[in-house]
Short mmCIF file of all heavy atoms in Angstrom, two decimals:
data_model
loop_
_atom_site.label_atom_id
_atom_site.label_comp_id
_atom_site.label_asym_id
_atom_site.label_seq_id
_atom_site.Cartn_x
_atom_site.Cartn_y
_atom_site.Cartn_z
N THR H 18 -7.73 -26.49 -50.19
CA THR H 18 -7.44 -26.16 -48.79
C THR H 18 -8.59 -25.33 -48.22
O THR H 18 -8.97 -24.32 -48.81
CB THR H 18 -6.12 -25.37 -48.70
OG1 THR H 18 -5.05 -26.21 -49.13
CG2 THR H 18 -5.86 -24.87 -47.29
N ASP H 19 -9.13 -25.73 -47.08
CA ASP H 19 -10.34 -25.09 -46.56
C ASP H 19 -10.16 -23.60 -46.28
O ASP H 19 -11.02 -22.79 -46.63
CB ASP H 19 -10.82 -25.79 -45.29
CG ASP H 19 -12.20 -25.30 -44.89
OD1 ASP H 19 -13.16 -25.56 -45.64
OD2 ASP H 19 -12.32 -24.62 -43.85
N ASP H 20 -9.05 -23.22 -45.66
CA ASP H 20 -8.85 -21.80 -45.34
C ASP H 20 -8.83 -20.93 -46.59
O ASP H 20 -9.06 -19.73 -46.51
CB ASP H 20 -7.55 -21.61 -44.56
CG ASP H 20 -7.69 -22.00 -43.10
OD1 ASP H 20 -8.83 -22.19 -42.64
OD2 ASP H 20 -6.65 -22.11 -42.41
N ILE H 21 -8.53 -21.52 -47.73
CA ILE H 21 -8.41 -20.76 -48.97
C ILE H 21 -9.72 -20.75 -49.77
O ILE H 21 -9.99 -19.81 -50.51
CB ILE H 21 -7.24 -21.32 -49.82
CG1 ILE H 21 -5.94 -21.21 -49.01
CG2 ILE H 21 -7.09 -20.58 -51.13
CD1 ILE H 21 -4.74 -21.86 -49.68
N ILE H 22 -10.55 -21.77 -49.59
CA ILE H 22 -11.78 -21.86 -50.40
C ILE H 22 -13.05 -21.50 -49.64
O ILE H 22 -14.10 -21.34 -50.24
CB ILE H 22 -11.96 -23.27 -51.00
CG1 ILE H 22 -12.22 -24.32 -49.90
CG2 ILE H 22 -10.74 -23.65 -51.84
CD1 ILE H 22 -12.65 -25.67 -50.43
N ARG H 23 -12.95 -21.36 -48.33
CA ARG H 23 -14.18 -21.25 -47.52
C ARG H 23 -15.00 -20.01 -47.84
O ARG H 23 -16.19 -19.96 -47.53
CB ARG H 23 -13.85 -21.29 -46.02
CG ARG H 23 -13.02 -20.11 -45.56
CD ARG H 23 -12.95 -20.03 -44.03
NE ARG H 23 -12.35 -21.22 -43.46
CZ ARG H 23 -11.95 -21.30 -42.19
NH1 ARG H 23 -12.08 -20.24 -41.39
NH2 ARG H 23 -11.41 -22.39 -41.72
N ASN H 24 -14.37 -18.98 -48.43
CA ASN H 24 -15.14 -17.78 -48.77
C ASN H 24 -16.04 -18.00 -49.99
O ASN H 24 -16.88 -17.17 -50.30
CB ASN H 24 -14.22 -16.59 -49.01
CG ASN H 24 -13.30 -16.79 -50.21
OD1 ASN H 24 -13.03 -17.91 -50.60
ND2 ASN H 24 -12.82 -15.69 -50.78
N ASP H 25 -15.86 -19.14 -50.69
CA ASP H 25 -16.72 -19.41 -51.85
C ASP H 25 -16.62 -20.88 -52.24
O ASP H 25 -16.06 -21.25 -53.27
CB ASP H 25 -16.29 -18.53 -53.04
CG ASP H 25 -17.28 -18.60 -54.20
OD1 ASP H 25 -18.28 -19.34 -54.10
OD2 ASP H 25 -17.04 -17.93 -55.22
N TYR H 26 -17.19 -21.76 -51.39
CA TYR H 26 -17.20 -23.19 -51.73
C TYR H 26 -17.89 -23.44 -53.07
O TYR H 26 -17.53 -24.33 -53.82
CB TYR H 26 -17.95 -23.98 -50.65
CG TYR H 26 -17.27 -24.08 -49.31
CD1 TYR H 26 -17.89 -23.63 -48.15
CD2 TYR H 26 -16.00 -24.67 -49.18
CE1 TYR H 26 -17.28 -23.74 -46.90
CE2 TYR H 26 -15.38 -24.79 -47.94
CZ TYR H 26 -16.03 -24.33 -46.80
OH TYR H 26 -15.42 -24.43 -45.57
N GLY H 27 -18.89 -22.61 -53.36
CA GLY H 27 -19.71 -22.85 -54.55
C GLY H 27 -18.97 -22.72 -55.86
O GLY H 27 -19.38 -23.31 -56.87
N TYR H 28 -17.87 -21.96 -55.87
CA TYR H 28 -17.14 -21.76 -57.12
C TYR H 28 -16.72 -23.09 -57.75
O TYR H 28 -16.73 -23.24 -58.98
CB TYR H 28 -15.90 -20.89 -56.87
CG TYR H 28 -14.98 -20.83 -58.07
CD1 TYR H 28 -15.25 -19.96 -59.14
CD2 TYR H 28 -13.87 -21.67 -58.17
CE1 TYR H 28 -14.42 -19.92 -60.25
CE2 TYR H 28 -13.04 -21.63 -59.28
CZ TYR H 28 -13.33 -20.76 -60.32
OH TYR H 28 -12.52 -20.74 -61.43
N PHE H 29 -16.34 -24.05 -56.92
CA PHE H 29 -15.75 -25.29 -57.43
C PHE H 29 -16.80 -26.33 -57.85
O PHE H 29 -16.45 -27.32 -58.50
CB PHE H 29 -14.81 -25.87 -56.38
CG PHE H 29 -13.74 -24.89 -55.98
CD1 PHE H 29 -13.90 -24.07 -54.87
CD2 PHE H 29 -12.59 -24.74 -56.75
CE1 PHE H 29 -12.94 -23.13 -54.52
CE2 PHE H 29 -11.62 -23.80 -56.41
CZ PHE H 29 -11.80 -23.00 -55.29
N LYS H 30 -18.06 -26.09 -57.51
CA LYS H 30 -19.09 -27.09 -57.82
C LYS H 30 -19.33 -27.26 -59.31
O LYS H 30 -19.45 -28.40 -59.79
CB LYS H 30 -20.38 -26.76 -57.07
CG LYS H 30 -20.22 -26.95 -55.56
CD LYS H 30 -21.48 -26.66 -54.77
CE LYS H 30 -21.22 -26.88 -53.28
NZ LYS H 30 -22.40 -26.59 -52.44
N PRO H 31 -19.38 -26.20 -60.13
CA PRO H 31 -19.53 -26.42 -61.57
C PRO H 31 -18.35 -27.18 -62.18
O PRO H 31 -18.51 -27.94 -63.13
CB PRO H 31 -19.61 -25.00 -62.15
CG PRO H 31 -20.05 -24.14 -61.01
CD PRO H 31 -19.46 -24.76 -59.79
N LEU H 32 -17.16 -26.99 -61.62
CA LEU H 32 -15.99 -27.74 -62.09
C LEU H 32 -16.11 -29.21 -61.71
O LEU H 32 -15.78 -30.10 -62.50
CB LEU H 32 -14.72 -27.14 -61.50
CG LEU H 32 -14.42 -25.70 -61.92
CD1 LEU H 32 -13.26 -25.13 -61.11
CD2 LEU H 32 -14.12 -25.60 -63.41
N GLN H 33 -16.61 -29.47 -60.51
CA GLN H 33 -16.86 -30.85 -60.09
C GLN H 33 -17.94 -31.50 -60.95
O GLN H 33 -17.83 -32.68 -61.33
CB GLN H 33 -17.28 -30.88 -58.62
CG GLN H 33 -17.51 -32.28 -58.07
CD GLN H 33 -18.18 -32.27 -56.70
OE1 GLN H 33 -18.98 -31.37 -56.41
NE2 GLN H 33 -17.85 -33.23 -55.87
N GLU H 34 -18.96 -30.74 -61.30
CA GLU H 34 -20.06 -31.28 -62.10
C GLU H 34 -19.61 -31.69 -63.50
O GLU H 34 -20.28 -32.48 -64.17
CB GLU H 34 -21.19 -30.25 -62.18
CG GLU H 34 -21.95 -30.11 -60.86
CD GLU H 34 -22.83 -28.87 -60.80
OE1 GLU H 34 -22.89 -28.14 -61.82
OE2 GLU H 34 -23.43 -28.63 -59.73
N LEU H 35 -18.48 -31.15 -63.95
CA LEU H 35 -17.92 -31.56 -65.24
C LEU H 35 -17.25 -32.94 -65.15
O LEU H 35 -16.84 -33.50 -66.17
CB LEU H 35 -16.90 -30.53 -65.72
CG LEU H 35 -17.44 -29.16 -66.10
CD1 LEU H 35 -16.29 -28.19 -66.37
CD2 LEU H 35 -18.35 -29.26 -67.32
N GLY H 36 -17.16 -33.49 -63.94
CA GLY H 36 -16.54 -34.79 -63.75
C GLY H 36 -15.15 -34.73 -63.14
O GLY H 36 -14.44 -35.73 -63.10
N ASN H 37 -14.76 -33.54 -62.66
CA ASN H 37 -13.42 -33.36 -62.10
C ASN H 37 -13.50 -33.47 -60.57
O ASN H 37 -14.28 -32.77 -59.94
CB ASN H 37 -12.88 -31.99 -62.50
CG ASN H 37 -12.86 -31.84 -64.01
OD1 ASN H 37 -12.24 -32.62 -64.71
ND2 ASN H 37 -13.57 -30.83 -64.52
N SER H 38 -12.69 -34.35 -60.00
CA SER H 38 -12.85 -34.63 -58.58
C SER H 38 -12.16 -33.59 -57.70
O SER H 38 -11.21 -32.93 -58.10
CB SER H 38 -12.35 -36.03 -58.24
OG SER H 38 -10.95 -36.08 -58.31
N ILE H 39 -12.70 -33.46 -56.49
CA ILE H 39 -12.16 -32.57 -55.47
C ILE H 39 -11.47 -33.42 -54.41
O ILE H 39 -12.09 -34.32 -53.83
CB ILE H 39 -13.28 -31.71 -54.87
CG1 ILE H 39 -13.75 -30.69 -55.91
CG2 ILE H 39 -12.81 -31.01 -53.58
CD1 ILE H 39 -14.95 -29.88 -55.50
N GLU H 40 -10.18 -33.16 -54.20
CA GLU H 40 -9.38 -33.96 -53.29
C GLU H 40 -8.82 -33.11 -52.16
O GLU H 40 -8.99 -31.89 -52.13
CB GLU H 40 -8.25 -34.66 -54.08
CG GLU H 40 -8.73 -35.48 -55.28
CD GLU H 40 -9.53 -36.73 -54.93
OE1 GLU H 40 -9.65 -37.06 -53.73
OE2 GLU H 40 -10.06 -37.37 -55.86
N ASN H 41 -8.13 -33.75 -51.23
CA ASN H 41 -7.76 -33.18 -49.94
C ASN H 41 -6.38 -32.52 -49.99
O ASN H 41 -5.40 -33.14 -50.39
CB ASN H 41 -7.78 -34.31 -48.90
CG ASN H 41 -7.72 -33.82 -47.48
OD1 ASN H 41 -7.09 -32.82 -47.16
ND2 ASN H 41 -8.37 -34.56 -46.59
N HIS H 42 -6.32 -31.25 -49.52
CA HIS H 42 -5.06 -30.50 -49.47
C HIS H 42 -4.91 -29.79 -48.12
O HIS H 42 -4.29 -28.73 -48.04
CB HIS H 42 -5.02 -29.51 -50.63
CG HIS H 42 -3.67 -28.95 -50.95
ND1 HIS H 42 -2.52 -29.70 -50.98
CD2 HIS H 42 -3.28 -27.68 -51.27
CE1 HIS H 42 -1.49 -28.93 -51.31
NE2 HIS H 42 -1.92 -27.70 -51.48
N THR H 43 -5.49 -30.37 -47.08
CA THR H 43 -5.44 -29.91 -45.68
C THR H 43 -6.38 -28.74 -45.39
O THR H 43 -6.86 -28.07 -46.30
CB THR H 43 -4.01 -29.50 -45.21
OG1 THR H 43 -3.63 -28.27 -45.82
CG2 THR H 43 -3.01 -30.58 -45.48
N LEU H 44 -6.54 -28.51 -44.10
CA LEU H 44 -7.35 -27.38 -43.62
C LEU H 44 -6.67 -26.04 -43.83
O LEU H 44 -7.29 -25.08 -44.27
CB LEU H 44 -7.60 -27.53 -42.11
CG LEU H 44 -8.69 -28.45 -41.62
CD1 LEU H 44 -8.63 -28.52 -40.11
CD2 LEU H 44 -10.05 -27.97 -42.09
N SER H 45 -5.37 -25.96 -43.49
CA SER H 45 -4.74 -24.64 -43.40
C SER H 45 -3.40 -24.52 -44.12
O SER H 45 -2.69 -23.54 -43.95
CB SER H 45 -4.55 -24.24 -41.93
OG SER H 45 -3.65 -25.13 -41.28
N HIS H 46 -3.03 -25.53 -44.91
CA HIS H 46 -1.83 -25.48 -45.75
C HIS H 46 -0.54 -25.38 -44.94
O HIS H 46 0.35 -24.58 -45.25
CB HIS H 46 -1.93 -24.30 -46.72
CG HIS H 46 -1.14 -24.51 -47.98
ND1 HIS H 46 0.22 -24.30 -48.06
CD2 HIS H 46 -1.50 -24.92 -49.21
CE1 HIS H 46 0.64 -24.54 -49.28
NE2 HIS H 46 -0.39 -24.93 -50.01
N PRO H 47 -0.35 -26.23 -43.92
CA PRO H 47 0.92 -26.20 -43.18
C PRO H 47 1.98 -27.06 -43.84
O PRO H 47 1.68 -27.89 -44.72
CB PRO H 47 0.53 -26.81 -41.83
CG PRO H 47 -0.50 -27.83 -42.22
CD PRO H 47 -1.29 -27.22 -43.36
N ASN H 48 3.22 -26.89 -43.42
CA ASN H 48 4.28 -27.85 -43.75
C ASN H 48 4.07 -29.06 -42.85
O ASN H 48 4.31 -28.99 -41.64
CB ASN H 48 5.65 -27.21 -43.51
CG ASN H 48 6.80 -28.14 -43.82
OD1 ASN H 48 6.63 -29.35 -43.96
ND2 ASN H 48 7.99 -27.58 -43.90
N MET H 49 3.64 -30.17 -43.41
CA MET H 49 3.26 -31.32 -42.60
C MET H 49 4.43 -31.89 -41.80
O MET H 49 4.24 -32.46 -40.73
CB MET H 49 2.65 -32.40 -43.48
CG MET H 49 1.39 -31.97 -44.22
SD MET H 49 0.02 -31.57 -43.12
CE MET H 49 -0.73 -33.18 -42.90
N ARG H 50 5.65 -31.71 -42.30
CA ARG H 50 6.80 -32.28 -41.60
C ARG H 50 7.08 -31.57 -40.28
O ARG H 50 7.85 -32.07 -39.45
CB ARG H 50 8.05 -32.24 -42.50
CG ARG H 50 7.95 -33.24 -43.64
CD ARG H 50 9.30 -33.55 -44.25
NE ARG H 50 9.95 -32.38 -44.81
CZ ARG H 50 10.48 -32.36 -46.03
NH1 ARG H 50 10.39 -33.42 -46.82
NH2 ARG H 50 11.07 -31.28 -46.47
N THR H 51 6.48 -30.40 -40.08
CA THR H 51 6.67 -29.68 -38.81
C THR H 51 5.63 -30.08 -37.77
O THR H 51 5.70 -29.62 -36.63
CB THR H 51 6.59 -28.16 -39.02
OG1 THR H 51 5.23 -27.81 -39.39
CG2 THR H 51 7.54 -27.70 -40.11
N LEU H 52 4.68 -30.94 -38.14
CA LEU H 52 3.59 -31.32 -37.25
C LEU H 52 3.73 -32.77 -36.80
O LEU H 52 4.23 -33.62 -37.54
CB LEU H 52 2.24 -31.16 -37.95
CG LEU H 52 1.90 -29.79 -38.54
CD1 LEU H 52 0.53 -29.83 -39.20
CD2 LEU H 52 1.95 -28.70 -37.47
N GLY H 53 3.25 -33.05 -35.59
CA GLY H 53 3.17 -34.42 -35.13
C GLY H 53 2.01 -35.15 -35.79
O GLY H 53 1.20 -34.56 -36.51
N GLU H 54 1.92 -36.45 -35.52
CA GLU H 54 0.89 -37.25 -36.20
C GLU H 54 -0.52 -36.77 -35.86
O GLU H 54 -1.39 -36.71 -36.73
CB GLU H 54 1.04 -38.73 -35.84
CG GLU H 54 0.05 -39.61 -36.60
CD GLU H 54 0.23 -41.09 -36.33
OE1 GLU H 54 1.30 -41.49 -35.84
OE2 GLU H 54 -0.73 -41.85 -36.59
N ALA H 55 -0.77 -36.42 -34.60
CA ALA H 55 -2.11 -35.99 -34.20
C ALA H 55 -2.51 -34.71 -34.94
O ALA H 55 -3.65 -34.58 -35.42
CB ALA H 55 -2.19 -35.77 -32.70
N ALA H 56 -1.59 -33.75 -35.04
CA ALA H 56 -1.88 -32.50 -35.74
C ALA H 56 -2.06 -32.75 -37.23
O ALA H 56 -2.93 -32.14 -37.88
CB ALA H 56 -0.77 -31.49 -35.50
N GLN H 57 -1.27 -33.64 -37.78
CA GLN H 57 -1.43 -33.98 -39.20
C GLN H 57 -2.79 -34.65 -39.43
O GLN H 57 -3.48 -34.35 -40.41
CB GLN H 57 -0.31 -34.90 -39.66
CG GLN H 57 1.05 -34.23 -39.71
CD GLN H 57 2.05 -34.97 -40.59
OE1 GLN H 57 1.69 -35.45 -41.65
NE2 GLN H 57 3.30 -35.07 -40.13
N LYS H 58 -3.16 -35.52 -38.52
CA LYS H 58 -4.46 -36.19 -38.65
C LYS H 58 -5.59 -35.17 -38.61
O LYS H 58 -6.56 -35.27 -39.38
CB LYS H 58 -4.62 -37.22 -37.53
CG LYS H 58 -5.93 -38.02 -37.63
CD LYS H 58 -5.99 -39.09 -36.55
CE LYS H 58 -7.31 -39.85 -36.62
NZ LYS H 58 -7.40 -40.89 -35.57
N ASN H 59 -5.48 -34.17 -37.74
CA ASN H 59 -6.51 -33.13 -37.68
C ASN H 59 -6.60 -32.37 -39.00
O ASN H 59 -7.69 -32.11 -39.52
CB ASN H 59 -6.23 -32.17 -36.55
CG ASN H 59 -7.26 -31.07 -36.46
OD1 ASN H 59 -8.45 -31.32 -36.24
ND2 ASN H 59 -6.83 -29.82 -36.67
N GLU H 60 -5.44 -32.00 -39.55
CA GLU H 60 -5.42 -31.27 -40.83
C GLU H 60 -6.07 -32.07 -41.95
O GLU H 60 -6.80 -31.52 -42.78
CB GLU H 60 -3.97 -30.94 -41.23
CG GLU H 60 -3.35 -29.80 -40.48
CD GLU H 60 -3.86 -28.44 -40.95
OE1 GLU H 60 -4.37 -28.34 -42.08
OE2 GLU H 60 -3.74 -27.47 -40.18
N ILE H 61 -5.81 -33.38 -41.98
CA ILE H 61 -6.30 -34.21 -43.08
C ILE H 61 -7.74 -34.66 -42.83
O ILE H 61 -8.62 -34.49 -43.69
CB ILE H 61 -5.38 -35.43 -43.28
CG1 ILE H 61 -3.97 -34.98 -43.65
CG2 ILE H 61 -5.93 -36.34 -44.37
CD1 ILE H 61 -2.93 -36.11 -43.64
N CYS H 62 -8.00 -35.24 -41.66
CA CYS H 62 -9.32 -35.82 -41.41
C CYS H 62 -10.42 -34.76 -41.32
O CYS H 62 -11.53 -34.97 -41.81
CB CYS H 62 -9.31 -36.65 -40.12
SG CYS H 62 -8.34 -38.16 -40.22
N THR H 63 -10.12 -33.62 -40.70
CA THR H 63 -11.14 -32.58 -40.61
C THR H 63 -11.46 -32.02 -41.99
O THR H 63 -12.63 -31.78 -42.32
CB THR H 63 -10.68 -31.45 -39.66
OG1 THR H 63 -10.28 -32.02 -38.41
CG2 THR H 63 -11.82 -30.46 -39.42
N GLN H 64 -10.43 -31.85 -42.82
CA GLN H 64 -10.68 -31.41 -44.19
C GLN H 64 -11.46 -32.46 -44.98
O GLN H 64 -12.32 -32.12 -45.80
CB GLN H 64 -9.36 -31.07 -44.89
CG GLN H 64 -9.48 -30.68 -46.36
CD GLN H 64 -10.19 -29.34 -46.57
OE1 GLN H 64 -10.93 -28.88 -45.71
NE2 GLN H 64 -9.98 -28.75 -47.72
#
């Protein structure tokens, strides 16, 4: 999640270099069921 990792993106790069993939968990960690499709798209696509 971007809001949680943005203070140190670099921490996860050595873990990625071991062959472990980095996947999408939204920008700000909301409950997606409380958001409309446009807001959900922003959370996912921007991340």
Side-chain angles (χ1 to χ4, degrees):
T18 295
D19 190 66
D20 282 348
I21 300 174
I22 67 169
R23 64 168 61 167
N24 64 337
D25 189 359
Y26 290 122
Y28 171 81
F29 303 94
K30 292 181 180 179
L32 297 171
Q33 182 191 33
E34 287 165 3
L35 293 172
N37 303 302
S38 71
I39 290 174
E40 306 292 354
N41 193 326
H42 196 42
T43 72
L44 279 175
S45 64
H46 207 279
N48 179 346
M49 299 296 273
R50 288 199 299 229
T51 67
L52 304 180
E54 184 176 341
Q57 292 199 41
K58 183 176 178 180
N59 179 62
E60 283 284 339
I61 298 171
C62 291
T63 308
Q64 176 68 339

